[in-house]
Amino acid sequence: MKIAFVGKGGSGKTTLSSLFIRHLATADAPVVAVDADINQHLATALGLDEAEAAALPAMGAQLPLIKQYLRGSNPRITSADTMIKTTPPGEGSRLLRIREDNPVYAACARPLPLDGGEIRLMVTGPFTEADLGVACYHSKVGAVELCLNHLVDGPDEYVVVDMTAGSDSFASGMFTRFDMTFLVAEPTRKGVSVYRQYKEYARDFGVALRVVGNKVQCRDDVDFLRAEVGDDLLVTVGHSDWVRSMEKGRPAPFAALEPENRAALRALRTAADATYAHRDWERYTRQMVHFHLKNAESWGNAKTGADLAAQVDPAFVLGEAVSQLSV
């Protein structure tokens, strides 16, 4: 299951994604957690101190290694230098699996013991001083998109991505890479404005979108969200003493999280799990090809000096059936 958390800056997106990751860890579920936000706070929300978080390897810095590994023996990709963030897999490409060990995880992921389980944590890396004026953050997030394009995951396996705030996710095709997108919204007009943008932009791509109301204090807040987002409202989350302690760096055992908030996390997992039965690998592959061709024509061909449309393998469909072929 590939799950994204999105929302307006300050909505509590990172906090809720970290709670969901902890919830999965307590059930001993295989989890790869990815911080793809320009403001890198997922690691600290999961209990690392600032120094430990800063020491995590950045996926953006490992992009040449990621490209070389995923390229494999794919004859349609003449060199790793011609791969861009949208490059789709084909016959001979190496695919990633959640439970395996591979050079990409070795370079970019760190095991993190968490609430009785263990997850893999990956981060895109912060926007650095060297990037100022010469690069955009999406060049770093491209490493995440490339990995998602080459990922074969099954039921009861989870990739949880804390995405960039607002509607910035639509600067690439990555918004179509998820089985479920949870949009975190506060009960305010600004809080639901991102929901309207996301709903509009994602309408033609079959994106499964559910709203998580956060910082809900009273029935009127619930009624407001229901009036604004309708049946897309899945659950609401209110004040949490556990979260407040966590944000002070003094988290209690996760089992002490308030029962109503634990119930909300269970509802998130149930909603995400339900989407797997409707997964359409052909559509998933078709969408990645669509965005690859758009990026190739817009900037990729000029940047790489290659015809990137030739990288598309028309006979290839990503899915569990090919997971043991392209190694």
Side-chain angles (χ1 to χ4, degrees):
M1 304 298 302
K2 293 179 282 289
I3 299 164
F5 280 81
V6 301
K8 181 181 69 68
S11 64
K13 169 179 62 68
T14 297
T15 297
L16 279 169
S17 60
S18 72
L19 291 176
F20 186 66
I21 291 164
R22 288 179 182 273
H23 173 69
L24 295 175
T26 61
D28 203 28
V31 179
V32 175
V34 183
D35 191 345
D37 194 351
I38 190 171
N39 297 307
Q40 300 268 281
H41 297 310
L42 182 60
T44 53
L46 291 172
L48 274 64
D49 62 32
E50 295 291 343
E52 291 169 327
L56 291 171
M59 294 180 71
Q62 297 296 331
L63 194 52
L65 179 150
I66 293 171
K67 290 180 177 180
Q68 188 61 49
Y69 179 76
L70 297 179
R71 177 193 174 207
S73 60
N74 187 334
R76 294 176 179 272
I77 302 175
T78 56
S79 74
D81 291 337
T82 64
M83 294 180 73
I84 62 174
K85 64 182 181 179
T86 55
T87 297
E91 187 65 31
S93 296
R94 289 193 181 97
L95 305 178
L96 302 175
R97 301 158 193 83
I98 290 178
R99 299 174 190 261
E100 71 178 0
D101 295 321
N102 59 54
V104 173
Y105 291 155
C108 302
R110 291 296 176 264
L112 178 62
L114 199 64
D115 303 298
E118 184 175 270
I119 68 164
R120 281 180 166 133
L121 176 60
M122 304 172 74
V123 301
T124 56
F127 202 67
T128 65
E129 185 175 343
D131 297 321
L132 296 176
V134 297
C136 73
Y137 191 68
H138 299 292
S139 63
K140 298 178 184 294
V141 178
V144 182
E145 184 170 358
L146 195 57
C147 287
L148 291 176
N149 279 355
H150 289 75
L151 177 72
V152 177
D153 58 310
D156 301 318
E157 299 177 333
Y158 299 88
V159 175
V160 181
V161 182
D162 182 18
M163 295 281 282
T164 53
S167 56
D168 283 354
S169 304
F170 292 95
S172 74
M174 196 161 74
F175 73 96
T176 66
R177 302 297 83 198
F178 301 100
D179 297 288
M180 175 60 73
T181 297
F182 291 125
L183 189 144
V184 181
E186 300 169 81
T188 65
R189 286 188 296 174
K190 287 184 179 180
V192 299
S193 64
V194 174
Y195 161 78
R196 295 197 184 95
Q197 287 181 309
Y198 227 98
K199 186 79 170 179
E200 179 65 26
Y201 294 159
R203 179 168 296 160
D204 295 332
F205 295 94
V207 173
L209 179 68
R210 302 302 301 272
V211 174
V212 182
N214 193 30
K215 304 179 184 178
V216 171
Q217 299 181 5
C218 60
R219 184 68 206 180
D220 185 64
D221 286 346
V222 177
D223 292 342
F224 172 82
L225 287 170
R226 183 69 69 187
E228 295 292 327
V229 309
D231 291 339
D232 284 342
L233 182 63
L234 177 62
V235 294
T236 61
V237 178
H239 173 78
S240 171
D241 289 332
W242 190 96
V243 170
R244 181 61 62 87
S245 295
M246 177 194 71
E247 291 174 342
K248 293 176 179 176
R250 302 195 296 266
F254 190 63
L257 182 70
E258 297 83 4
E260 61 273 20
N261 290 331
R262 284 189 278 122
L265 296 174
R266 289 194 297 270
L268 296 186
R269 183 176 183 181
T270 297
D273 287 348
T275 65
Y276 190 82
H278 306 290
R279 176 180 285 186
D280 185 342
W281 284 108
E282 289 190 6
R283 184 180 71 178
Y284 188 82
T285 305
R286 188 167 61 248
Q287 286 177 340
M288 76 170 77
V289 169
H290 167 77
F291 283 106
H292 180 62
L293 295 177
K294 286 188 66 174
N295 279 266
E297 183 178 356
S298 176
W299 61 271
N301 290 345
K303 181 176 181 178
T304 63
D307 177 13
L308 300 185
Q311 295 179 342
V312 176
D313 184 343
F316 184 87
V317 176
L318 187 67
E320 292 176 270
V322 300
S323 63
Q324 297 303 320
L325 298 180
S326 302
V327 296

